[in-house]
Amino acid sequence: MIWDELETGLARLAVENLTRRRRTLDAPCGPEAVIDGQRFTAFCSNDYLGLANHPTLIAVVQQAAARWGVGSGASHVVSGHLRPHAELEERLAHFVGRERALYFTTGYMANLAIVPALVERHDAIFADRLNHASLIDAALLARAEHIRYPHIDLDWLADRLARSRARRKLILTDAVFSMDGDLAPLPELLELAERFDAWLVIDDAHGFGVLGPGGRGSLAHFALPASPRLILMGTLGKAAGVSGAFVAGDHRVIEWLMQRGRPYIFTTASSPVIAAALSASLKLIVAGDDRRAHLQDLIVRLRAGLRGLPWRLLPSPTAIQPLVIGDNQAAMALAERLLMNHLWVPAIRPPTVPTGTARLRISLSAAHTTDQVDALLAALREGINLADQSLLPQGERMPSMQEDEH
Ligand SMILES: *Cc1c(COP(=O)(O)O)cnc(C)c1O
């Protein structure tokens, strides 16, 4: 029976401790999560600037709904492209200093659109091994040769680019790596792209809004020139606090994406209300130096506090601060201990991260207070000698809230 395989598959996930569980939150996205009537200080979200629940955006959404209604009714290329969408695209292009921008419903779909629109069979994609899952799926969809290079190994990459006979080449990378928090060496990657006549597609999901002057993102952080071969993807559900994504670049590339990007063409345009909220969010991002400065202070404070602890801190300058525990069980136990202190930090285990590098992925937001960060540090200090769950007092074990996906 076709069900048997499903049941076996689900049972295997359970045995391997890989079943994903969702938590239903009874409060808006923010540092204070409410689950089953209990409050937790959460270090889980990608709402880096604390905009997801911002009063200005809420008001804009209410006004936009009154003016534009709720649904867009069709795809962008039919009749779903409303004024708020058009204005958002202009603002986005201007904000990141590129000729044109195309707005997508999600970052996942933007990535699925970009890569197959630029390369196909007989072409080659060179992708960092720690890239986000959506970039891996995009490469599969393109059906080009998929060469995954060791994380940030530029020599390895240059060697493979030099030896490739592919007609078209495309380098694909996260700007900020989502499980490690480190930055890709974008200037060097652009140099390689120029030298080997390749496209360079940069996924700035975690840099947009946070890094660079005015929060313009990782490209601005490195002051990269606006090369026509450089294509920027930024997501709008993280620091921008809403949802969606954009692709920005040379006007010919964007026109091609609009003509040939299947995940752009064959989907209903997202609500005009979302687009209006995003235009307002861009203004908050530009005016967000105080938020970014506070976030930076929190990063420095957390890292200084973690340095005294026995676990490995990764060289991350961003809001993603992984604490590498190593052993799966130990990482889980520590996360459970934090939960008992009403602190929610996701434990990330293989296969999301390499074996032996199970970690707590602490993600900071400008909405956190220094007291909340100090509370986390204090609880981690107490958890130092925690070898396994058996150390937890009987009856006090919290239901597991670990989540393996980012
Ligand atoms: C979150 C994320 C995406 C997907 O963006 P969504 O808008 O959530 O679909 C793509 N790439 C990276 C690196 C991400 O972290």
Side-chain angles (χ1 to χ4, degrees):
M1 295 282 276
I2 46 180
W3 319 116
D4 296 346
E5 259 181 61
L6 278 193
E7 281 168 10
T8 315
L10 288 170
R12 195 181 316 119
L13 287 177
V15 166
E16 292 171 2
N17 218 354
L18 292 175
T19 306
R20 296 177 197 286
R21 299 181 63 185
R22 301 182 304 177
R23 295 284 148 184
T24 303
L25 281 75
D26 290 308
C29 171
E32 290 272 312
V34 179
I35 300 161
D36 293 339
Q38 292 201 63
R39 288 184 177 278
F40 298 90
T41 304
F43 294 90
C44 314
S45 91
N46 307 304
D47 181 25
Y48 300 126
L49 297 180
L51 299 181
N53 189 31
H54 194 284
T56 303
L57 300 189
I58 294 168
V60 166
V61 163
Q62 288 165 339
Q63 288 156 17
R67 169 73 178 84
W68 297 102
V70 177
S72 57
S75 72
H76 283 281
V77 291
V78 178
S79 64
H81 193 63
L82 277 58
R83 181 61 57 194
H85 298 120
E87 280 175 4
L88 173 63
E89 287 183 342
E90 271 165 37
R91 291 207 165 100
L92 283 166
H94 183 253
F95 181 60
V96 296
R98 304 303 305 267
E99 286 178 5
R100 201 175 153 193
L102 197 63
Y103 166 60
F104 281 78
T105 312
T106 72
Y108 187 93
M109 302 228 311
N111 283 338
L112 292 192
I114 300 168
V115 179
L118 294 174
V119 289
E120 55 191 20
R121 233 188 268 277
H122 309 304
D123 298 335
I125 296 165
F126 300 82
D128 192 291
R129 203 163 275 163
L130 294 192
N131 277 351
H132 189 259
S134 59
L135 295 174
I136 297 170
D137 294 357
L140 294 177
L141 199 57
R143 293 182 296 182
E145 188 187 359
H146 191 194
I147 297 156
R148 299 180 75 188
Y149 57 90
H151 184 48
I152 296 187
D153 191 336
L154 294 173
D155 292 336
W156 200 101
L157 172 61
D159 180 59
R160 289 306 299 266
L161 280 163
R163 287 195 281 129
S164 171
R165 298 242 171 78
R167 196 161 68 83
R168 286 178 299 200
K169 306 181 187 76
L170 184 150
I171 302 171
L172 193 54
T173 188
D174 281 16
V176 175
F177 291 90
S178 50
M179 288 301 127
D180 288 45
D182 56 335
L183 297 178
L186 299 182
E188 288 80 3
L189 288 171
L190 180 58
E191 195 273 318
L192 286 178
E194 302 280 3
R195 195 184 333 153
F196 294 102
D197 189 26
W199 294 110
L200 174 59
V201 175
I202 296 174
D203 176 337
D204 200 21
H206 300 280
F208 183 81
V210 182
L211 298 178
R216 285 178 173 76
S218 301
L219 277 57
H221 169 82
F222 285 109
L224 279 198
S227 159
R229 68 177 66 251
L230 193 163
I231 296 149
L232 167 66
M233 196 289 288
T235 64
L236 302 168
K238 290 173 179 157
V242 190
S243 73
F246 68 93
V247 183
D250 181 272
H251 69 97
R252 292 162 295 184
V253 173
I254 300 303
E255 181 64 21
W256 182 248
L257 265 187
M258 204 190 98
Q259 300 300 333
R260 303 308 297 270
R262 294 172 65 87
Y264 184 77
I265 299 167
F266 298 107
T267 193
T268 302
S270 77
S271 167
V273 164
I274 300 290
L278 283 166
S279 282
S281 170
L282 275 187
K283 288 183 196 154
L284 293 176
I285 289 174
V286 176
D289 282 348
D290 289 352
R291 286 170 198 282
R292 280 181 290 273
H294 177 57
L295 178 59
Q296 193 54 41
D297 287 348
L298 294 180
I299 293 169
V300 169
R301 191 179 188 91
L302 179 74
R303 288 184 67 86
L306 291 176
R307 234 164 250 136
L309 301 179
W311 303 295
R312 187 155 65 92
L313 199 53
L314 295 182
S316 161
T318 67
I320 301 166
Q321 291 293 330
L323 194 57
V324 178
I325 313 296
D327 178 64
N328 293 356
Q329 208 50 42
M332 299 292 286
L334 188 55
E336 300 278 338
R337 162 62 69 95
L338 294 177
L339 280 175
M340 289 172 52
N341 288 293
H342 294 265
L343 295 158
W344 184 9
V345 181
I348 314 283
R349 290 159 294 171
T352 304
V353 293
T355 306
T357 70
R359 63 195 67 184
L360 296 189
R361 181 182 183 270
I362 304 165
S363 101
L364 293 170
S365 161
H368 284 121
T369 62
T370 50
D371 283 354
Q372 288 170 329
V373 169
D374 290 348
L376 175 60
L377 286 168
L380 282 169
R381 246 173 254 125
E382 278 174 31
I384 284 180
N385 296 318
L386 198 69
D388 62 28
Q389 274 224 42
S390 61
L391 293 183
L392 300 187
Q394 283 298 325
E396 278 197 54
R397 290 183 195 170
M398 301 283 295
S400 174
M401 285 175 54
Q402 305 325 315
E403 179 52 54
D404 263 329
E405 197 46 273
H406 41 297

